[in-house]
Amino acid sequence: MKKIIIILFAVIAISSCKIDREPFGSLQSEKINSNPEESIDALLNGTYAQLKAWSDPMHRLGEYAGDNIMIRGSSTDAFYEFISFARTPNNSRLSTFWDSGYKAVAQASNIISMIPQGKSTTLDSKLGECYFIRGLIYFYLVRAYGRPYYQNPETNLGVPIVNGTPADVINLNLPDRASVKTTYEQVIADLKKAEELINVNKGSIFASKEAAQALLSRVYLYMSGTYENPNQAFAQLSVDYATKVISGSTRYSLLPRADFMKYNTFLPETNKETIFAIKRVASEFSGSDHYYGIGGMYANIGGQGWGEMYASAKYIDLLNETGRNDWRPAKYKIVDARAAFIEPTYATNASGAFTEVFRFIKDDAANTLNYVQANITRNGNTITCTEGTDVYTLTPVDAAQEIYSINYKNGKTYTGVIDNFITLNRVYPQFYIVKDSREGENSHLHSPVISRLGEVYLNRAEAYAKLQRYTEALSDLNTIRTRSIVNGGYSSLTAANAGNLIDKERQLELAYQAERSFDVFRNGKPLVRRYPGPQNQTADISANDFRVVYYIPQSAINSYPGKLTQNPTQ
């Protein structure tokens, strides 16, 4: 039987299909050796294709486990475990994340093994793309399945290092999970090799030298410890790699405020701020399939999408911290540019008119928070709102922004805003999120962004702060903040406030990019979700909680040729 390069890696039990013929997307080694230039393009395209299936659960496990979103209620979908932290090893979405990730690792590794470095600069550059993809996947795998780096990386488990299809697949015995430290070393080695080899920038939907440098700035940031106990050597390396991107290339630039507010509508290959994105095209979806894209859970656009997850009250409060963002059509005003990605679903009556309400959040039984939208009545300068049979007089807090307070019947004072009534899904106002929709103005089309220049500035700001270089950290932080909030820059950054201010800006800027939950835990902070929604509002998730990491899929353990250690259950 001819030697076959099994690109899908199924034979080594990352997936359990049996391959007994040359599969689609694979090539015989003779074909590769006789025409490596032609072969590598086909193989490399297949490697990029694996990222598409991988990117969907990648987003959900990273974003849903954070505090930027709320869901209307419980769900039978496997992704609800990401929100509820009810971790189980039998999760189909985690299996897709694992399987597609290791297929990409295998394809990249097989290309690296089959085509020697040094044949030509063109081939070397494409090999560099393979190293980038492999490093990218290992990093995302280890941050999902391995504990935060500051927590004993030498002994905590990362993921298996399996670089390509072994020669003997019959008597296969693969290694157990490497340590977190060893996995990160693999990530760094791959990304540095990508930086060395890639000599052609084909645009932001392909790996590039700058994409490797941008990701290295984040990898070293993840290794830089907490604000209280930083690892300054790794923080300096994060600064170094961020600077390579910021100062070393004229290819990328921050979008101006007006364009940034339309970021989601631009194609990634024409977006000057996007460094690397996983390209999706409309032909990959058909009809109702758009429901199942990443943005489909966050909004219903043109009749497509479930629209069952909304911006959390915590995130809305952050957006409104320096001034109210008013989404009402007649009074539309965006103070923080990031609020442009939020679209409340205002209701109209039969005559097309809006209903004015006083919206606030109150304590219900068992310290559970819920929204109230109480109809208001204006009588001269007096404004009242009615909830059931209870009538409350609104006291101005900032009348120009229509922010008021009421003394509620439970003895508490609540602050809220006069707004139009927002339609409810179950009992929750629908603050739709469109950051992951409308690419090319096409419903929920979205190419997941892995790296963009805005993040790189924030990486460097945090790394500078951990080096106690607060002046430089403030400059980078305000570069991002003043882009979104005109004249909104911070006046000072100190050891006392740096962690909170940088963390807040990362939450505002990188929301709905699958970063939030990892940002919280890698700095040793608890996840706090005390806002309306069915999540547990009273129990914070500590960075030391066993549920910070996901279980290895049981399907992977069952089919793995060798020992594959599961994460602890408590």
Side-chain angles (χ1 to χ4, degrees), residues 291-422:
Y291 273 79
Y292 299 95
I294 290 170
M297 284 303 296
Y298 295 143
N300 182 293
I301 298 172
Q304 292 189 324
W306 301 104
E308 294 182 4
M309 288 184 185
Y310 320 121
S312 69
K314 182 176 184 177
Y315 189 69
I316 297 294
D317 285 346
L318 284 180
L319 289 173
N320 289 330
E321 193 175 65
T322 56
R324 179 185 175 183
N325 298 280
D326 199 334
W327 292 283
R328 288 175 290 182
K331 299 187 177 184
Y332 191 77
K333 180 183 178 181
I334 297 298
V335 175
D336 189 323
R338 285 133 339 179
F341 305 122
I342 309 300
E343 295 184 1
T345 58
Y346 291 120
T348 57
N349 60 24
S351 62
F354 297 106
T355 300
E356 278 197 312
V357 297
F358 178 61
R359 188 174 55 256
F360 62 99
I361 293 173
K362 68 171 181 177
D363 289 318
D364 267 346
N367 296 316
T368 300
L369 300 175
N370 279 309
Y371 282 102
V372 175
Q373 296 191 100
N375 288 1
I376 68 169
T377 301
R378 297 177 185 268
N379 186 6
N381 292 326
T382 301
I383 307 174
T384 59
C385 70
T386 303
E387 183 194 23
T389 59
D390 299 315
V391 180
Y392 303 97
T393 300
L394 276 60
T395 302
V397 174
D398 186 335
Q401 297 190 81
E402 296 191 276
I403 302 173
Y404 293 85
S405 67
I406 60 171
N407 295 318
Y408 199 65
K409 61 185 177 182
N410 61 6
K412 296 183 178 182
T413 299
Y414 295 124
T415 299
V417 296
I418 292 178
D419 201 352
N420 296 335
F421 180 83
I422 299 173

Side-chain angles (χ1 to χ4, degrees), residues 28-234:
Q28 295 179 356
S29 57
E30 292 90 337
K31 296 178 184 178
I32 295 175
N33 292 331
S34 64
N35 196 339
E37 183 75 41
E38 179 181 334
S39 301
I40 196 172
D41 287 339
L43 295 172
L44 189 54
N45 286 340
T47 309
Y48 280 109
Q50 292 296 343
L51 298 182
K52 297 181 181 184
W54 168 84
S55 65
D56 184 278
M58 176 275 291
H59 175 94
R60 297 179 198 273
L61 67 88
E63 194 61 51
Y64 294 2
D67 51 5
N68 295 325
I69 63 103
M70 60 151 291
I71 190 171
R72 65 168 191 166
S74 62
S75 174
T76 58
D77 192 294
F79 66 56
Y80 191 69
E81 293 182 3
F82 307 157
I83 301 169
S84 66
F85 280 78
R87 302 291 187 243
T88 69
N90 296 307
N91 185 298
S92 59
R93 292 188 182 272
L94 284 179
S95 295
T96 299
F97 176 70
W98 177 278
D99 293 349
S100 297
Y102 270 106
K103 287 175 184 177
V105 166
Q107 292 193 17
S109 298
N110 287 340
I111 296 170
I112 292 167
S113 298
M114 287 302 303
I115 301 179
Q117 183 182 330
K119 281 196 168 187
S120 71
T121 56
T122 299
L123 280 173
D124 282 354
S125 190
K126 292 175 181 179
L127 287 174
E129 293 180 63
C130 295
Y131 280 107
F132 173 82
I133 292 171
R134 191 169 75 183
L136 167 73
I137 294 295
Y138 274 134
F139 174 58
Y140 275 72
L141 286 170
V142 73
R143 74 176 192 170
Y145 296 111
R147 297 204 64 82
Y149 194 87
Y150 78 92
Q151 299 177 6
N152 303 314
E154 297 86 356
T155 54
N156 284 331
L157 293 179
V159 296
I161 306 298
V162 184
N163 292 336
T165 307
D168 184 359
V169 297
I170 304 301
N171 302 302
L172 197 57
N173 187 28
L174 294 178
D176 197 359
R177 298 165 64 188
S179 68
V180 167
K181 181 175 184 291
T182 299
T183 310
Y184 269 79
E185 288 170 347
Q186 174 73 49
V187 171
I188 291 168
D190 282 343
L191 294 177
K192 285 186 174 181
K193 195 68 173 177
E195 180 191 24
E196 171 196 340
L197 291 178
I198 299 175
N199 53 71
V200 177
N201 190 309
K202 299 187 293 185
S204 60
I205 61 174
F206 298 96
S208 64
K209 183 185 298 291
E210 293 88 350
Q213 293 166 342
L215 194 54
L216 279 164
S217 78
R218 194 198 310 171
V219 170
Y220 281 122
L221 192 67
Y222 272 55
M223 301 171 72
S224 67
T226 65
Y227 286 98
E228 295 74 21
N229 187 26
N231 183 310
Q232 295 196 334
F234 290 138

Side-chain angles (χ1 to χ4, degrees), residues 457-458 460-466 468-482 488-494 497-498 501-502 505:
Y457 272 99
L458 291 174
R460 193 169 71 172
E462 181 178 331
Y464 273 141
K466 288 177 176 176
Q468 300 179 8
R469 294 165 61 178
Y470 297 114
T471 299
E472 293 118 310
L474 179 63
S475 176
D476 281 344
L477 186 62
N478 278 341
T479 294
I480 299 305
R481 185 163 181 83
T482 56
Y490 297 114
S491 59
S492 66
L493 202 67
T494 66
N497 68 8
L501 295 186
I502 293 170
E505 210 59 33

Side-chain angles (χ1 to χ4, degrees), residues 416-481:
V417 296
I418 292 178
D419 201 352
N420 296 335
F421 180 83
I422 299 173
T423 54
L424 302 178
N425 196 328
R426 298 193 180 173
V427 296
Y428 302 113
Q430 298 179 139
F431 285 94
Y432 279 172
I433 302 157
V434 297
K435 194 174 185 180
D436 300 311
S437 302
R438 293 206 183 107
E439 184 177 311
E441 302 295 346
N442 191 329
S443 183
H444 293 298
L445 184 61
H446 173 65
S447 295
V449 175
I450 299 298
S451 296
R452 60 182 177 90
L453 191 59
E455 182 220 340
V456 178
Y457 272 99
L458 291 174
N459 291 349
R460 193 169 71 172
E462 181 178 331
Y464 273 141
K466 288 177 176 176
L467 293 167
Q468 300 179 8
R469 294 165 61 178
Y470 297 114
T471 299
E472 293 118 310
L474 179 63
S475 176
D476 281 344
L477 186 62
N478 278 341
T479 294
I480 299 305
R481 185 163 181 83

Side-chain angles (χ1 to χ4, degrees), residues 255-263 265-266 337 340-341 483-484 486:
L255 295 183
R257 186 178 193 269
D259 285 342
F260 174 70
M261 291 165 70
K262 299 180 289 185
Y263 200 112
T265 68
F266 299 139
F341 305 122
R483 191 254 299 264
S484 285
V486 178

